């Protein structure tokens, strides 16, 4: 889904800039405002660049402990991503400014809530009349089914002013969404794509019958991933690339790290004082953090000769130590993180990306990889990879895609 950008978001950014104490933080927010107003004819624009600029401003403010600004920018990110709506953002902004909330929404919200309860009561009575033997679990299950189906509300063209909740549509949409998520088709918003398809009988029939359409979707996915991988390779091989450059090239591409991951977590600051570079979510729901160090611009060697073997240097050990400290903090704050963010950290693991074999032309790449793999086999929850090995693995993954 395209990030939302409008005058409300622009106002939020302006307030955040006004609250910033550091000139660098204000400059980051000025860049966000400039992007918002950079559309044709001064129109407001969004896009992925907007999200990147907001993330940069949030990170800069967090590094300087400007937590009011972090909160304001996070609210802007959540609003742009659609996780909070305009009335809630207005309330949060009003609370920040003067501590007062808007109460004009209470009456209409009360009416809507009352109507929802009335509908649920009526639907429950109908279900119990038809199923007198049903108990509380069956009744709750029926109401849950109605809730899911209600998301596919339709307006019949021959019945103006009336709306229909088609039964069973939610189950069909869930099945289709799983196909879009679990297959090799890269859909930016599988749930929205599934909703559009199940509400269009013609589209559903075409999807079921047209194998070539599937191939086109797969081709589009491979094209996007190939372009993203090539962009990452260029950044990795650039002697001037910073850790921030590498982060921007990797964010939004969890597939590069392998099929174990289903996406990225929104929150990067889960523990006070620590902000992880890339938080990934594994298929089992647990967190996997990625710690980024420099690639070609890394100062010093990756491995050194010790007795009769190649072993990682001190800076590799330091990077692993940093990742371990993150994991310790996640373990110690596990209950709070799960309650606040819904992320499981008990089985969290970490990946350290560091360096490039081309930095040590006198050592064969195979020796460097072997030294790191040997090291990894003796570390429980942390893995170390060079950026080149990460890119090569992702390239092989693409080459093996049907």
């Amino acid at each position: 889904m395209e990030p939302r950008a409008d005058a409300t978001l622009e106002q939020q950014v302006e307030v955040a800039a006004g609250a910033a104490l550091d000139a660098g933080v204000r400059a980051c927010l000025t860049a966000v405002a400039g992007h918002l107003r950079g559309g044709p004819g001064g129109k407001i624009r969004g896009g992925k660049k907007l999200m990147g600029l907001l993330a940069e401003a949030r990170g800069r403010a967090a590094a300087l402990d400007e937590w009011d600004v972090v909160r304001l920018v996070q609210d802007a990110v959540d609003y742009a991503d659609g996780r909070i709506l305009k009335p809630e953002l207005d309330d949060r902004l009003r609370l920040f400014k003067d501590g007062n909330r808007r109460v004009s929404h209470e009456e209409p919200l009360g009416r809507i809530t009352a109507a929802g309860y009335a509908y649920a009561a009526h639907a429950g009575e109908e279900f119990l009349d038809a199923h007198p033997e049903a108990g509380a679990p069956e009744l709750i299950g029926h109401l849950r089914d109605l809730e899911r189906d209600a998301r596919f509300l339709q307006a019949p063209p021959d019945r103006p002013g009336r709306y229909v909740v088609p039964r069973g549509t939610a189950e069909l949409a869930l099945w289709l969404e799983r196909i879009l998520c679990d297959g090799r088709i890269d859909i930016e918003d599988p749930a929205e794509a599934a909703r559009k398809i199940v509400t269009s009988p013609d589209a559903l029939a075409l999807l079921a019958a047209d194998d070539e359409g599937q191939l086109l979707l797969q081709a589009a996915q491979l094209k996007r991933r190939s372009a993203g991988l090539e962009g990452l390779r260029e950044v990795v091989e650039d002697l001037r690339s910073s850790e921030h450059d590498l982060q921007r090239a990797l964010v939004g591409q969890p597939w590069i790290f392998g099929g174990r991951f289903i996406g990225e977590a929104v929150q990067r600051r889960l523990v006070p004082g620590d902000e992880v570079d890339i938080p990934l979510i594994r298929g089992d729901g647990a967190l996997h953090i990625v710690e980024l160090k420099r690639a070609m611009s890394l100062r010093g060697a990756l491995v050194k000769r010790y007795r009769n073997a190649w072993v990682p240097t001190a800076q590799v050990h330091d990077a692993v130590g940093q990742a371990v400290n993150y994991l310790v903090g996640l373990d110690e704050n596990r209950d709070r993180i799960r309650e606040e963010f819904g992320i499981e950290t008990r089985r969290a693991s970490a990946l350290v990306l560091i360096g490039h074999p081309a930095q040590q032309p006198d050592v064969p790449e195979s020796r460097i990889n072997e030294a790191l793999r040997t090291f990894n086999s003796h570390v429980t929850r942390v893995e170390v990879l060079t950026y080149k090995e990460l890119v090569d693995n992702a390239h092989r993954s693409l080459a093996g895609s049907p």
Side-chain angles (χ1 to χ4, degrees):
M1 183 175 66
E2 184 73 11
R4 174 171 46 182
D6 54 22
T8 298
L9 181 63
E10 188 177 27
Q11 181 189 18
Q12 183 78 10
V13 172
E14 289 176 358
V15 173
L21 301 176
D22 179 72
V25 176
R26 288 196 298 274
C28 288
L29 291 166
T30 299
V32 176
H35 174 81
L36 281 169
R37 279 297 178 188
K43 291 184 178 179
I44 295 178
R45 61 174 176 171
K48 290 185 177 180
K49 184 177 180 181
L50 169 66
M51 305 306 292
L53 291 170
L54 284 169
E56 184 176 352
R58 180 183 58 194
R60 181 66 178 268
L64 296 171
D65 292 334
E66 292 203 30
W67 298 112
D68 283 341
V69 178
V70 171
R71 184 179 62 180
L72 289 166
V73 176
Q74 184 61 52
D75 286 346
V77 171
D78 291 341
Y79 178 73
D81 265 346
R83 288 189 293 272
I84 61 175
L85 302 178
K86 185 177 184 300
E88 182 176 353
L89 185 67
D90 287 342
D91 259 359
R92 293 186 183 188
L93 192 58
R94 192 167 284 103
L95 282 169
F96 175 79
K97 287 181 174 179
D98 53 27
N100 294 319
R101 294 189 62 183
R102 175 181 289 179
V103 298
S104 60
H105 295 304
E106 290 180 359
E107 184 179 350
L109 284 175
R111 289 199 301 268
I112 293 171
T113 303
Y117 281 126
Y119 175 76
H122 178 69
E125 290 169 352
E126 285 189 337
F127 178 76
L128 291 176
D129 287 343
H131 305 84
E133 76 288 352
E138 291 78 15
L139 175 59
I140 296 299
H142 174 67
L143 294 176
R144 289 294 186 192
D145 288 341
L146 285 176
E147 173 205 349
R148 288 186 284 268
D149 285 335
R151 299 171 187 173
F152 303 94
L153 189 77
Q154 296 178 7
D158 58 338
R159 298 170 65 188
R162 306 292 292 181
Y163 298 89
V164 174
V165 177
R167 297 305 314 280
T169 307
E171 186 174 357
L172 175 61
L174 179 61
W175 169 78
L176 185 57
E177 181 182 343
R178 286 175 177 170
I179 289 177
L180 296 176
C181 287
D182 296 341
R184 294 184 178 275
I185 304 171
D186 187 15
I187 302 294
E188 187 168 328
D189 190 343
E192 177 63 15
R195 187 194 69 80
K196 290 181 179 178
I197 291 172
V198 298
T199 54
S200 171
D202 291 340
L204 188 59
L206 286 172
L207 181 64
D210 185 10
D211 291 336
E212 292 185 4
Q214 296 281 342
L215 293 175
L216 287 173
L217 287 171
Q218 291 180 10
Q221 173 218 42
L222 292 176
K223 182 178 179 181
R224 284 194 297 271
R225 289 189 172 183
S226 180
L229 183 59
E230 184 57 33
L232 173 62
R233 187 191 299 275
E234 291 177 1
V235 176
V236 165
E237 295 177 353
D238 190 340
L239 293 170
R240 301 164 297 177
S241 293
S242 64
E243 293 172 16
H244 183 63
D245 296 327
L246 292 161
Q247 182 181 32
R248 285 192 296 184
L250 282 165
V251 165
Q253 300 196 82
W255 72 270
I256 285 178
F257 298 95
R260 295 180 297 159
F261 306 108
I262 59 175
E264 295 179 24
V266 174
Q267 299 289 342
R268 291 173 51 204
R269 185 174 286 271
L270 300 170
V271 177
D274 290 340
E275 185 170 26
V276 301
D277 292 329
I278 300 178
L280 300 176
I281 302 298
R282 297 201 309 254
D284 62 358
L287 184 69
H288 183 85
I289 63 174
V290 180
E291 173 63 22
L292 303 178
K293 298 302 178 184
R294 290 178 179 266
M296 285 294 292
S297 59
L298 184 71
R299 295 181 179 86
L302 280 170
V303 296
K304 65 180 181 180
R305 193 73 175 175
Y306 182 73
R307 295 184 178 175
N308 294 321
W310 291 98
V311 297
T313 60
Q315 64 179 337
V316 174
H317 285 274
D318 289 345
V320 170
Q322 183 178 355
V324 169
N325 287 337
Y326 287 156
L327 294 177
V328 170
L330 293 172
D331 287 343
E332 292 175 346
N333 292 269
R334 175 201 173 205
D335 292 337
R336 179 187 60 80
I337 294 172
R338 185 174 54 190
E339 181 180 348
E340 291 185 13
F341 306 114
I343 297 175
E344 178 56 67
T345 62
R346 165 173 268 178
R347 305 180 307 280
S349 52
L351 169 67
V352 173
L353 288 175
I354 184 170
H356 194 288
Q359 295 174 283
Q360 287 185 267
D362 56 323
V363 183
E365 180 180 340
S366 60
R367 295 291 187 187
I368 295 176
N369 291 339
E370 182 181 355
L372 294 180
R373 289 181 190 133
T374 301
F375 176 75
N376 290 335
S377 68
H378 292 82
V379 182
T380 306
R381 297 167 64 186
V382 182
E383 180 185 12
V384 181
L385 280 182
T386 66
Y387 283 92
K388 185 177 187 300
E389 188 165 12
L390 175 75
V391 172
D392 288 347
N393 291 344
H395 180 74
R396 282 191 290 270
S397 172
L398 275 185
S401 300

